[in-house]
Amino acid sequence: MRRCLLPFIWIASFAAGASPEQAVEAAHRELWSRFVDEHDLILDYVGLKGEIVRPTPEDCREMKPSALSWGVPNEDGPMFNGLYLDAMCSRWLITKDDAIRAKARRLIDGLIKVSTIGKTPGFIARGIAADGRTTYPMGSNDQTTPWLYGIWRYVMDGLPKDEAERQDLVQRFIEQVKVLDSHGWKVPTDGPPSKYRGDFAKPTWEAVPRLLFIMKATHAFTGDASWQQRYLATAHEKVGNGQRERLEICRIGMVFDPGQGERHSWTGSESVICLRGLWEMESDPALKNAYAEGLRHSADLAAKSLPLIEKFDVNGAELFSVDWRVMNAAWKPQHSEAEAVEVALAGLKLQHAASPRMTIEKDYLREPCFAAWVVTLNPDRDFVMSHRAAIEKVITHYDFSRVYLSQFFPVESAWWRMQ
């Protein structure tokens, strides 16, 4: 299989000697040859030859390993498609390459599929079972946010081939927002064990930039003054125990969940892209400066994760098992969101114990790659360039043909944003 059939010493020397440009192209080839599935959705992980244990319709209906599907190989299709569109759109803006535009459209097609496969309006499916039509019942705010961002980015960067395509995507965006609005900004599921998974109205870093982005983007697409009024009122509304304006939460920037030892730029990046979108759309100097400050603080925090590459041994031989069914040993019936989370977390512990290389890649590949992207989302060009050498070390550290997780894809976004 491609480079895997070449002598090991050649692979190692290629990875060690690759330029950033070569490494980015290697990442791109590997992602599209091994991780994009038949539904145009990016998979979470596969074997080195593309091996995958795709959930069956029965797995989905029985909510195994959990209703949230955490740990299965197609857990994050809309999340990864939407986030990766940042790379494809940035690359197309620079190169005007029709092949890249076509790949971006494939990612959009995947987003459309997961938004139309369920029976509940506003539900965004995480992935699709082996029958091509069944899904797990729970999506999340982490799936819906990139779905919205990816469509917004594709449209705003001018990738639609004609006005009909543009209008179709804008209408899909607006319809999704209307459903969220009608549910008080809670994210609908497609059935039990809970009605919702995620809430954009919470007074937290996770939610605040996302809600403001949704409102501002809807105003940008519709021109409806009421959305601008709601956006401003929401930005200045005081929320939470500290009674801070949402704008101040944006100004503080990315924070990680308290009490967790690990760093997680990968989920934090979702609110950072919303800050970036707000910064791009905003013309009021006070608001724009607040978003710029939040982006700078987010980049500062993310930059601390860049050196984690030193803990990733490219030649490590730890086991990575693609058979997620080990998690079923922790399964039990789930009758609420809390029970689904409990079962999912218990299953992940079993999966990580059985697949130590997965934990290594999550901590020392996923985190630095996402962190590199977050740094480049800062509009301060001098700041980004001050971290260029460290970002290029991240980009060139890995041999992408020998990793199992797809979450190296943000190195493409980081590279093209630096250009």
Side-chain angles (χ1 to χ4, degrees), residues 261-273:
E262 73 274 14
R263 305 173 65 79
H264 36 281
S265 293
W266 75 300
T267 50
S269 70
E270 295 202 13
S271 296
V272 180
I273 58 174

Side-chain angles (χ1 to χ4, degrees), residues 27-327:
H28 182 85
R29 288 193 303 271
E30 202 64 35
L31 188 80
W32 284 96
S33 65
R34 191 154 56 99
F35 292 96
V36 180
D37 74 3
E38 64 268 33
H39 305 296
D40 296 318
L41 296 168
I42 298 176
L43 299 166
D44 283 61
Y45 62 85
V46 297
L48 298 185
K49 296 181 180 180
E51 307 95 319
I52 177 175
V53 180
R54 188 177 287 272
T56 66
E58 292 72 28
D59 291 322
C60 296
R61 287 192 286 267
E62 295 171 6
M63 296 185 285
K64 292 181 177 179
S66 73
L68 288 161
S69 70
W70 290 356
V72 303
N74 56 341
E75 172 200 341
D76 292 299
M79 178 180 180
F80 294 163
N81 273 40
L83 298 181
Y84 184 56
L85 271 161
D86 189 82
M88 292 298 90
C89 293
S90 294
R91 180 169 179 165
W92 181 81
L93 283 171
I94 292 170
T95 66
K96 294 297 190 287
D97 185 342
D98 287 340
I100 295 302
R101 188 184 206 168
K103 287 179 176 178
R105 179 62 215 196
R106 283 185 61 188
L107 298 172
I108 291 289
D109 290 342
L111 293 181
I112 290 174
K113 180 145 191 175
V114 292
S115 69
T116 56
I117 199 168
K119 60 184 181 294
T120 305
F123 169 67
I124 306 293
R126 291 171 170 271
I128 301 172
D131 65 347
R133 60 180 182 271
T134 306
T135 71
Y136 287 93
M138 296 182 76
S140 76
N141 52 334
D142 283 340
Q143 306 300 319
T144 296
T145 299
W147 189 94
L148 292 165
Y149 176 83
I151 289 177
W152 173 84
R153 175 59 66 193
Y154 182 90
V155 171
M156 294 296 286
D157 284 351
L159 276 78
K161 65 181 183 301
D162 54 33
E163 184 60 19
E165 182 185 4
R166 181 186 184 280
Q167 287 297 329
D168 175 67
L169 294 176
V170 167
Q171 190 58 39
R172 291 178 188 276
F173 184 102
I174 292 170
E175 288 303 314
Q176 183 69 23
V177 171
K178 285 181 178 178
V179 173
L180 293 171
D181 189 15
S182 72
H183 287 278
W185 301 112
K186 291 182 172 65
V187 180
T189 68
D190 203 32
S194 69
K195 188 175 181 180
Y196 301 109
R197 173 63 180 170
D199 183 354
F200 292 117
K202 285 184 175 181
T204 60
W205 159 254
E206 178 187 53
V208 165
R210 305 186 197 203
L211 179 58
L212 295 181
F213 167 79
I214 291 169
M215 291 180 167
K216 184 67 173 174
T218 303
H219 173 251
F221 280 156
T222 64
D224 184 341
S226 67
W227 279 106
Q228 174 70 1
Q229 293 164 1
R230 291 182 66 185
Y231 156 71
L232 291 174
T234 302
H236 292 296
E237 182 183 8
K238 293 183 178 180
V239 294
N241 294 334
Q243 284 296 285
R244 295 176 298 176
E245 289 189 355
R246 284 190 176 88
L247 188 62
E248 289 308 305
I249 295 174
C250 290
R251 190 190 304 274
I252 291 169
M254 183 168 68
V255 293
F256 294 149
D257 294 337
Q260 295 195 23
E262 73 274 14
R263 305 173 65 79
H264 36 281
S265 293
W266 75 300
T267 50
S269 70
E270 295 202 13
S271 296
V272 180
I273 58 174
C274 290
L275 270 191
R276 175 70 192 210
L278 286 163
W279 180 84
E280 291 181 21
M281 290 185 284
E282 188 54 70
S283 58
D284 181 278
L287 274 68
K288 196 175 185 77
N289 288 338
Y291 299 141
E293 190 172 341
L295 288 165
R296 172 62 182 265
H297 293 157
S298 301
D300 277 331
L301 179 62
K304 296 176 182 178
S305 289
L306 301 179
L308 290 175
I309 61 171
E310 302 302 335
K311 296 186 177 183
F312 186 88
D313 181 3
V314 177
N315 298 318
E318 298 87 357
L319 175 66
F320 192 113
S321 172
V322 299
D323 187 1
W324 54 268
R325 296 185 191 279
V326 65
M327 292 189 288

